[in-house]
């Protein structure tokens, strides 16, 4: 624990919808080391965003984070449980010690205000700068994230930016207070591959310069091998596999990870008889009652045992895997 910046223990987040309860995150435990880049991977609906919104204490009704869930964050020489903080205490942490680049750019920027003012706003809100100082700092940040003509572009409104430029603006905004942790929720999903590579390069550059830790959320396993230190694979709100990025990619143990890797298109694969593998079936419906392994309906190795009960997490040599029949 001493060397962790964040330790999440048994995080459970449930949405009490009118018709049914949806367990978006189910007893999830993980940690984050200083300077580490951790990838959180899973298909749509696997609970990636809800996990990180729970860390930020941004779950609104009908959502509820179970009171026994612990989100321990290193604050100086002690750990504080973010799940026990008041809203006022969280305002001190959010945007300052932990920043988030939201999946939706519209959640980060107000369409009615110029970007330069918005990028420096956290500095002002956290009492670090006056309005003018914050604007000058925003101009520096725009240069640091390689916005061309940054002084002019600071005068623009969000709708005047391309997707890639708006992502750079969001990174600048998230970095403004030098956070200990940056949560990047699918920051490259809507971008073309060239811009995607530029944004990943920029995030890595800033991570190296500042020493911050990063939680990088994506559904694209192909992106993360060189970019991240560690990978977590989520499915239906549960951890399926975790390990060093290189180990998980080169030697996946969980059938779901193996299937995800097999689904990645490779150059030349359509020349011969090869076809792109697609995982059969679909992710469980939100609120679906699952008694056995969450992946059972889609798994080629499913047995009666898998349908009868949910496997626990087995841990060995820094790897974690939730499967009765994992390749070891
Ligand atoms: N505000 C909400 N109200 C009700 N259910 C919600 C709410 N937000 C999320 N959920 C449910 O929680 C589950 C996890 O959602 P989450 O947004 O974390 O998925 P995700 O892994 O981030 O998916 P994506 O890749 O599409 O962003 C889903 O079943 C979703 O329907
Ligand atoms: S527990 Fe069974 S169904 Fe689940 S991933 Fe492993 S082999 Fe497949
Ligand atoms: Mg999401």
């Amino acid at each position: 624990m001493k060397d962790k910046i964040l330790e999440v223990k048994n995080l459970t987040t449930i949405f009490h919808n009118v018709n049914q309860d949806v367990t978006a995150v189910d007893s999830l435990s993980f940690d984050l080391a200083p300077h580490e880049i951790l990838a959180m991977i899973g298909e749509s609906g696997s609970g990636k965003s809800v996990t990180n919104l729970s860390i930020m204490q941004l779950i609104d009704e009908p959502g509820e984070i179970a009171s026994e869930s612990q989100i321990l964050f290193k604050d100086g020489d002690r750990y504080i449980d973010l799940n026990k903080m008041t809203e006022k205490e969280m305002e001190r942490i959010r945007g300052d010690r932990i920043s988030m680049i939201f999946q939706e750019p519209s959640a980060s920027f107000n369409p009615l205000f110029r970007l330069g003012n918005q990028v420096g706003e956290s500095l002002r809100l956290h009492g670090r700068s006056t309005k003018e100082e914050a604007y000058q700092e925003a101009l520096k940040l725009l240069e640091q994230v390689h916005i061309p003509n940054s002084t002019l572009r600071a005068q623009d409104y969000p709708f005047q930016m391309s997707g890639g430029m708006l992502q750079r603006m969001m990174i600048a905004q998230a970095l403004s207070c030098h956070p200990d942790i940056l949560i990047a929720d699918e920051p490259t999903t809507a971008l073309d591959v060239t811009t995607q590579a530029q944004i990943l390069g920029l995030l890595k550059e800033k991570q190296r310069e500042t020493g911050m830790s990063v939680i990088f959320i994506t559904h694209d396993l192909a992106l993360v091998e060189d970019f991240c230190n560690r990978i977590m694979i989520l499915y239906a709100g549960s951890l399926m596999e975790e390990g060093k990025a290189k180990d998980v990619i080169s030697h996946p143990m969980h059938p779901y990870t193996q299937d995800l890797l097999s689904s990645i298109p490779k150059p030349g694969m359509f020349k011969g008889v090869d076809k792109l593998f697609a995982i059969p079936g679909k992710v469980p419906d939100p609120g679906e009652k699952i008694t056995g392994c969450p992946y059972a309906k889609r798994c080629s190795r499913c047995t009666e045992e898998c349908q009868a009960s949910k496997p626990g997490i087995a841990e060995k040599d820094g790897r974690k895997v939730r499967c009765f029949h994992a390749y070891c």
Side-chain angles (χ1 to χ4, degrees):
M1 177 84 202
K2 221 170 60 192
D3 55 342
K4 306 293 178 208
I5 182 95
L6 182 75
E7 180 151 19
V8 174
K9 292 183 179 175
N10 292 318
L11 174 64
T12 297
T13 305
I14 299 174
F15 289 95
H16 303 288
N17 296 330
V18 178
N19 305 330
Q20 60 181 353
D21 283 357
V22 170
T23 304
V25 184
D26 190 2
S27 298
L28 186 65
S29 297
F30 64 96
D31 53 44
L32 182 68
H35 321 301
E36 183 178 38
I37 306 184
L38 171 69
M40 213 171 263
I41 293 169
E43 284 169 278
S44 189
S46 58
K48 306 178 297 294
S49 294
V50 172
T51 297
N52 288 282
L53 291 170
S54 303
I55 293 172
M56 299 290 272
Q57 297 290 294
L58 287 174
I59 299 293
D60 290 327
E61 280 184 16
E64 184 191 13
I65 305 172
S67 56
E68 61 273 20
S69 306
Q70 287 186 302
I71 304 167
L72 305 175
F73 172 63
K74 190 159 196 253
D75 188 26
D77 51 9
R78 66 187 181 132
Y79 284 87
I80 53 174
D81 185 350
L82 301 184
N83 204 27
K84 302 267 185 302
M85 297 284 107
T86 61
E87 178 54 23
K88 190 117 196 97
E89 287 167 323
M90 274 314 294
E91 282 171 10
R92 180 179 71 84
I93 308 258
R94 236 184 258 133
D96 191 37
R97 310 288 309 284
I98 309 177
S99 270
M100 185 157 176
I101 302 171
F102 291 96
Q103 190 166 359
E104 288 296 321
S106 55
S108 286
F109 291 118
N110 186 323
L112 301 176
F113 293 99
R114 295 183 195 278
L115 283 157
N117 292 326
Q118 297 193 60
V119 167
E121 201 178 9
S122 280
L123 288 164
R124 216 166 42 76
L125 287 176
H126 290 284
R128 293 177 179 226
S129 315
T130 62
K131 194 172 174 190
E132 182 49 33
E133 285 166 349
Y135 193 80
Q136 292 306 321
E137 189 57 32
L139 293 184
K140 280 191 213 156
L141 283 161
L142 297 196
E143 257 178 51
Q144 283 175 24
V145 297
H146 313 302
I147 302 265
N149 300 323
S150 51
T151 311
L152 275 180
R153 301 310 303 259
Q155 298 286 321
D156 283 348
Y157 292 94
F159 74 89
Q160 292 173 287
M161 290 278 144
S162 67
M165 283 295 155
L166 206 54
Q167 285 295 355
R168 286 172 191 271
M169 290 278 181
M170 286 201 277
I171 294 170
Q173 186 188 46
L175 293 178
S176 62
C177 288
H178 306 289
D180 300 311
I181 300 174
L182 173 69
I183 297 170
D185 193 353
E186 308 221 26
T188 58
T189 301
L191 305 175
D192 62 79
V193 281
T194 315
T195 316
Q196 211 173 57
Q198 289 169 356
I199 295 294
L200 286 184
L202 175 65
L203 277 174
K204 189 104 182 176
E205 175 190 320
K206 292 295 151 203
Q207 187 272 335
R208 282 205 187 110
E209 273 172 28
T210 62
M212 66 187 173
S213 307
V214 178
I215 299 177
F216 181 78
I217 303 170
T218 179
H219 56 259
D220 191 348
L221 199 47
L223 275 184
V224 298
E225 183 175 6
D226 297 323
F227 180 67
C228 300
N229 305 109
R230 212 151 42 96
I231 293 179
M232 287 173 67
I233 309 279
L234 299 187
Y235 190 81
S238 291
L239 180 75
M240 294 289 125
E241 178 159 11
E242 185 191 314
K244 280 188 193 154
K246 289 202 171 355
D247 296 346
V248 173
I249 302 285
S250 64
H251 182 55
M253 289 178 168
H254 197 283
Y256 180 51
T257 318
Q258 290 160 9
D259 289 348
L260 280 177
L261 281 164
S262 302
S263 324
I264 299 172
K266 294 165 196 75
M269 70 184 299
F270 293 108
K271 281 188 189 150
V273 288
D274 284 350
K275 282 191 193 138
L276 181 58
F277 170 78
I279 303 177
K282 60 179 183 60
V283 290
D285 289 326
E288 187 179 325
K289 290 276 166 274
I290 303 169
T291 41
C293 169
Y295 195 52
K297 282 189 183 162
R298 306 171 81 187
C299 180
S300 59
R301 262 179 275 155
C302 178
T303 61
E304 273 181 29
E305 184 187 22
C306 308
Q307 287 169 341
S309 61
K310 184 173 176 175
I313 292 179
E315 212 171 335
K316 198 179 163 202
D317 301 331
R319 291 287 287 271
K320 288 183 189 169
V321 62
R322 185 192 291 281
C323 174
F324 290 120
H325 310 295
Y327 284 138
C328 292

